[in-house]
Amino acid sequence: MYLVQFLILSSVLFCIGVYGVLARRNAVLVLMSIELILNAVNINLIAFGAFNGAAIPAEVFALFIIAVAAAEVGVGLALVLTIYRNSKNIDLHQVDLLKG
Amino acid sequence: MSTTYLATEASNLAVEASGFFLENVWIIPAIMAASFVVILGFGKRMPRGGSEVGIAAVAVCFVLALLTAGQWIGQVNEAAACTPETCDYIVDEHHDAEADADEHHDEEGAFQVDTGVGSSDGESASALTAFTEAEEGSTAAAAKAVVSERTWWSNGGINFTVGTMVDGLTVTLLVVVTLVSLLVHIYSTDYVAGDRRFTHYFGFLSLFTAAMLFFVTSANVLQMIVGWELVGVCSFALIGHWWEEQPNSDAALKAFLTNRVGDIGLLIGMIVLFFASDEKWGIIEINAGAIEGTTSHTLLLIASLCLLAAVMSKSGQFFLHTWLPDAMAGPTPVSALIHAATMVVAGVYLIARLYGVFFHGLSIGGSSINALAVIGAVTTLVGASLAFVQDDIKKVLAYSTISQLGYMTLALGVGAWTAAVFHLTTHALFKACLFLGAGSVSHAVHSFDMKKDMGGMRKFMPTTYKTFLIGSIALAGLPPLAGFWSKDEILAGTGGWGFFEGESHANGAYTIMLVMGMITAAMTAAYMTRVMYLTFFGEFRGGHHDDAHHGDPHESGPRILWPLRILAGLAVVAGLMNLPKGFLGLPSGWTLRFEHYVEPLAATGYFPKISHADPSWSLAIFSTLVVASAVGVAYYYYFVRVNAQSPSATELVNGPTERSRLLKAGHTMLKNRYYLDHIYDGGEPVGAAGANAMGTIFGAAAGLTLGFSLDNGLNQPFWPSVMWGVILGLTIFTIVTAALRTGMGIASVVKQPMANAANWVHENVIDAAVDEVGKNSVKTADALYKYIDQGVIDGSVNAAGRGSQGAGGELRRWSTGKVQQYATVMFAGATLLAGLLIIVI
Amino acid sequence: MEAFLDDWGLTLVTFVPLVGALVMMATPKEEESAHKMIALGTSLIAAVFGVLLLFNFDYGDAGALQFVVDKEWINVINSRYIVALDGISLPLLILTLGVVPLCIIYSFGHFPEPHNPKAFLSLILVLETGMIGSFIAQDLILFFVFFEVVLLPMFFLIGVWGGDDRRYASLKFFLYTLFGSALMLVSFLALFFLADGTNSTMAGDVVSATERTFDMRLLSTGATAGIARSAQLWVFGGMFIGFGVKVPMFPFHTWLPDAHTQAPTVGSVILAAVLLKLGTYGFVRIAIPFLPEAAAAWAPVIGLLAVIGIIYGALGCLAQTDMKRLIAFSSVAHMGFVMLGISTLTDFGINAAIFGMVAHGLITGMLFFVAGSMKDRYHTLDMGRLGGLLLQAPKLGWILAFAAMASLGLPGLAGFWGEFPAILASYNPAAILNESVWRAFMVVAALGTVLAAGYLLWMVQKTAFGNPTEEFANDPHIRDVSKFEWISWSPFLVLIVVFGFYPNAIFNLTDDAVIGSLEVESVVVLNIDGDPIEVVNANGDVITVANSSGCLEQEDGIDCFNNNRIKAERAAAERLASLETASGN
Amino acid sequence: MLAALLQQADFVRPDIDWHALAPELTLLAVGALVTLIDVVFLEKGRKISPTIAGLGLLTVLIPIITLAVDGVASNPRQAFAGSDVYVVDGYSLILKALFVLIGYMVVLMSTDYIGEGDYWESEYYGMLISSLLGMVVMASARDLITVFVALELLSIPAYLMATWRKRDIRSNEAGLKYYLNGVFASALMLYGMSLLFGVTGSTVLSEINAGLGDGTASKPIVSLGVVLVIVGFAFKVSAVPFHLWAPDTYEGSPTPVAAFLAVAAKSAGFVALMNLIFVGFWSQNEIYGPALWILAALSMTIGNLTALRQENLVRLMAYSGVAQAGFMLAALSVAGESLDVAQTSVSAVVTYLIIYAAMNLGAFSVILSVSRRTRTAHIRSFNGLFQWSPALAIIMTVFLASLAGIPPMGGWFAKFGVFSALIEADVWWAYVLATLAAVNTVIAFGYYGKLASRMWFEDAPTEFETTPIRLPFALQSALVITATATIAFGVYPGMITHFSDIDVPGVAAAVGG
């Protein structure tokens, strides 16, 4: 096993996540894409920790990220719900009242 | 303030002069200034509108001036009677009395400049030698000018003083100015009676007199500048006295602006002198520096040429004279006082005052031509010829004044200093008499037009006629009236007669000036005959206005006539002040009195060593014959032929100019005053100023450039030379344009009659060349303002503003409201930033 | 009393108007007469303190700073509250203190729309504080603060009470000045970091002479000696733009005609009389004494722009049809003379410049007053429609003619003494400058005097001479000078004459101070080991040589230079040497 | 189980300096109290919750003061003995105080807005206090994990506050935009953090600095990591090109929240950036220097230019905030040139933050006050304000002048500090940035001045009543406090420099004293 394999995996995940965030029009899919990026981060952290002999901070960091991500997604879904309630729509391209 | 102005020559022998009036001459201008303030403040509430204050003040000043003159004469006599044993005298080495001088200066404001008094006991032997070697004919010691000074302002650690300087020249002008001013004041109470601005008028008369007196008593050139400008303003105000009519205010503006053009020369000339003479303003110091040769000759030359420009404008010398005839728009007494007797001679006075500078700067001695003499000679001819064709009696007198001022300049240019000052004096008297006489006539007929509204006036106004006749004879220069003596001295002073008669002891051999002066004398006599005929002889041609309340013209009142009588009387006798040496075998105590008391001796250190021409009987007789024959021809033409041919008593026959084509062309040109005004006028006075300015710029700039470059050995660094290049380039452009057009036109000049030629020259050469550079400064200014200021400079500022606004509008569109585009921008930004840094580092 | 004045005089003069403004803010808007009285009262109180200062000023020592107050202000940047008065500041201070009450009096009779005396007068008072502060500040940051304080009130004066195009004009005025002052601030900061206050010859006399300092007293007496030439040039350049915009010099002048034309009369007067002087004052007080070497390098540029300004301003005038705009352009020309004087870098020229500032303040201020009063009467300043003022309102007309005469530099009136000595000085600029260049400038400047006469007399002719146009021939509104106008104008008129006749009233004050500000102080030259070897004066002459024990014998005894004072570096010596070479050529 | 885990990790609980943590703990307690009040008193608690929140925030100042008296400024404390993870020093203390005071001002601004708008109150204040807690923690955070947690703690409540007017679709949109951009930025930042952790093997900033400095780390990865982390906070401070969310969010959210985001969140971003730069990346000047330089130049210029054309005042303030952030970034961009410059730029940024807080909160208060009457933030609603509400016009003028940097209002000193840092750096790019900054002050006045001229020079609009506006006490207090502070800071800047002239955090340790 080599570190670089993990890094390649994580960067692929990162790229997919970024693509999702930038390209998907559905708000929920965007939220999921963000999760992908965060998971890429987690993989990075764990891999680096394992290979650097600094496993504990890496794992702690990853745990925090997982926890916080959960909270974030909670808030995110709440926001999406509110939007949906007001405009019956979660297409992000339609959300452009504020501009200029 | 060091005072090492006294020359080091062995013949330096000067006596300290003193006396209450000589030292406190400042009182005279101060009285007039106070009079101005009083008239301005309270004049309207006074019974005679403030005129009484003015008259009283100027009368007091006249008395004071006489007392001053008396005291000066006493001083000169004392000095003349002086021997090394009996009185204080100075043999001046480069004495080290500077500390002494400073002490004097600190102790009290007024101090005597002759700091060397008594400091040379050990050198009486050389003094004695000097005494005996003093100039032939004058064993007298020189009476030195009385200078009183106070600190005026200080700058750069230098104290600048204000003060008075009194010597013969000063007292002459003091007497002349106060006398003419007094008479004009009295005359005016009648002449302008009932005018709506009666009080203003007298206020400005007072202010003018004050300024003129301040000018002539100046101890330094800076004060002269002040006085010079102040008289200009008063002239402006008085020419434009009836400013409701546009032509009057135009004339006033023209006068002022033309003078301003000359003032560039004045300012620069004075500045050059200031630095050339080691940062000194004092007239005495500047002259002394020039005479001793401590001042660079190049700088003296530049300074005198610059000052000459000022003289040309103020004293109406060709080609800046055009304002003077227009200035006749002012009330006639003003013309008499300002534009004939006093202000216009300021330029002449300036040269006389700074004679050391001009004499050495223009190398007058031992030469036969110089700028001053040429300008004077040309002016005198041009003025006389133009006087011929005027119908307006005041304009005749105005051109005559120009001509006579040219005479004075000519005299100074040939080194006949005393003759010039003497002529200045006599001219002031008879020309004032003539102007006031013309005023008296016009007061009666309400017009200045001789052809339309005058004629036969001798019947109605006998006193005016008589005085005018005396003035005319004096002006024409027939013996024994005043004009003869002064004119003759000038002609003798040219030294040109030496051509026929051998050695004349003049400063040079100015034969051309003599010839031109002689021609002028003839023309003067002729045009004055014409005026006499048109005004006083024949039948009265006026009255066609049929104003009921005017009726026949009648003689003026006593307040007008008495000044005329006095001036006429003086015009008769004034010439006797300076009878030629050896005239009719008179003792030396009777001859050359004017020279004796007025001309400073070289021993004073501030006056150049000039030679005095010998008087010549043959010349005097010849010139008298010339004048007499001119009178005769003119008399025959007007009194005999015209009188006989006139169809009726009140209608004049056409003159010869109407019949001969050639003469007519000449007449047209003269009528158009050599087209000079057209060149200057862009239709309005500002245009005139602009064109004048442009013309003068290039001349002055080129001259100065050349001067400075020479002075600096043409060793210029890069960018100043670029500037010079531009200036010179423009000058050359002007000249080349003119030359090209002239060349192309030569053929047609040959073919065409004179008038067309003149017109052509006007339109295609002078006008085109001058105007192509700055046809009309208003237009230039308009274009500059519109395109450069509002277009380029302001435009670029506004464009920057608009650009920002535009950029803001563009940037605003980045904010699309689409959240994913924001994220895209964010990610792109991050990627670019990271990529950049990864590549670079 | 004297002790009180020493400690508090300048501070009171500066802040009394501000206090007045605060009191006015607390007073209800309806109490118009109360507002007028408060405004006039406070400005008069300030003026009275000014007069007291004038009387207590030691004229024998006009070159030295007097009434010095030096207190802590912003410690972290060594910026201190230092105010003081010397011969350069005094005339400008008095000018300000005089002009403001007169403007207030004038405004009583002529409240521009939309009225509101409360706001109008309190803004003027705030403005006064800023102007006075700028003239007496002796700390760069304090100067900067006061310099900027004047901006906002003027912005509002123009913007609220101005003419039709007031928004554009006020914003333009503001942006221009802000641009200049931002660069100026950058230059000040560069000085702060580059200069070394302990190098100054005054280091021993100033309470806290630190290495980094904003203290103008230190910066003008050798603290800047060690700055590299290239840096000096840049720093000077920043200040040049900052002050040049304010003057305004060509080509930074385009804000001026707009601001003047649109501003209410009082605003124009204050702008012309005082605000423009802040720029030239900056040159005289800050830019040139701090960085003499850079000043010498920049001087040709200043001189060239000055003469361009003279001619350009004059031609600009000739192109105008609006009287007020014409007067505004004439300011460009007149300030050109002032800058020409400054560019010579001689005491003579700078004295002339200061005189020119005061004279221009009085004369152009007066012209703006007249223009404003005419606008009140005719409701237009289009010269094509005016005429015959002398018939309808003779006194007003004569005052206009008088002011025009003064403005064109008539000897005997104040304007001449600003113009002529400036021309004179440019014949003989400082030794390190190329005199041919300045002589060319002199010729052009002299030409400018003719053009000045041209446009001013043209203006007088168009407006005052002739007969009134039909439009206004029987207009009852056209009355002669009113009471308020007389009160506020007569001091101007009197001073124009007084300074014209007795110029020493100002020259005497400024001369010592200017000479002092141009002196390059003597510098201690060190050898490579840092020991003093000799003292060199401004001309590069060695005054004192160290004895064998490394001590210099000075007038006040032997000085062995404790380490604090041995700060002068070789650079300073080299600089003097280069100055010497330059002046030797 | 837990014990076993701990034993396995060889974990010994470090000594905790409770005093050092007292501000955070107090804040936590206040937050809990506000939430509890709602739970206990239900509707009755509505009236008192703002009061409790406000007083509570002031209470937090007490431990801050005691810590200051204790001399942390010269003697930094480690909250966990022997670890640089959480440090309380002069720098963090002054910023904590600033955050708490900003919180208090926001409470003053919110009291009536939230109260009158029929929104949940206690939750609002609870959220506010949580967010503040995140900021307060951020000031002391010297560890990537702590920084991350603090960031999320301050962000998540802020997302909700932005959406507080939940029935208003614009508010929803504002919150959503803020949220999506925010989490995306966090994700990028985390990716960067993971890389940094990878090359240094530590999450503690001082150790990261040491690890980066020894030269063994792969440069490209370090660059990518540093840039991504900076981007995360550049988003928070709304630097160009990461600023696009800000105008939309400010416009849509409740005005007090917009003020909170514009001031507090931005300050928190700067605090984090400074922590990272001075502690974590100190040795990487060649990376963060140019990066911040570019961000600063872009932010100043684009922020100002875009603001020129804004018609909504809140958006205008948002762009103005972008430009102001650019100024602060400018000072930071040269901080790495030397320790002296770093000192100057820390002081400059802290000073800037304090003054910026006063003037910006003030400006938002005025906008809030006027929109109480006009119900809009359109720039036209300020027309002729001087005629119908002169006091507000004058106060707004003070803030505008301050924002434009015109003495004697505080803003000039803030800008002065930035220039001072730039010029002290004495490198050509710093001078270029200084010149650019000078030009930008001019552009900025283009819109500040235009707003001022609208208030003073225009006639009052007709679409609403133009009688003087009466303000509730809380808002009045907010106005008076901010205006007084703005003027006082400008007239006597010593008031701020007394506090802001602090040592550079952590650098002394990092470079070995």
Side-chain angles (χ1 to χ4, degrees), chain D residues 26 35 41 101 135 156 166 210 235 245-246 249 295 320-321 342 368 372 390 430 434 456 464 488:
Chain D
T26 321
T35 318
F41 296 103
L101 287 172
M135 296 170 185
I156 293 173
K166 63 180 178 184
F235 164 83
W245 61 276
T249 303
L295 294 183
S320 137
L368 189 61
R372 283 171 70 83
W456 288 70
F464 47 78

Side-chain angles (χ1 to χ4, degrees), chain B residues 678-680 761-772 775:
Chain B
H678 297 272
I679 297 172
Y680 299 151
V761 168
H762 160 232
E763 277 179 7
N764 293 299
V765 184
I766 310 178
D767 217 22
V770 173
D771 290 6
E772 237 158 70
K775 190 173 203 164

Side-chain angles (χ1 to χ4, degrees), chain C residues 143 147-148 173-188 232-253 255 276 278-280 282-283 287 298 301-302 305 339, chain D residues 435 438-439 442:
Chain C
F143 172 82
F147 191 84
E148 299 281 296
F173 157 77
F174 203 102
L175 291 183
Y176 252 109
T177 323
L178 198 62
F179 173 69
S181 57
L183 290 180
M184 183 178 86
L185 180 64
V186 171
S187 289
F188 286 177
Q232 284 205 22
L233 291 181
W234 282 103
V235 173
F236 195 95
M239 296 200 261
F240 173 79
I241 294 180
F243 296 134
V245 165
K246 199 84 179 182
V247 169
M249 292 182 77
F250 176 89
F252 308 124
H253 66 280
W255 64 269
L276 303 189
L278 288 177
T280 41
F283 276 105
W298 275 90
V301 180
I302 301 177
L305 293 180
M339 290 313 298
Chain D
T435 313
V439 172
V442 180

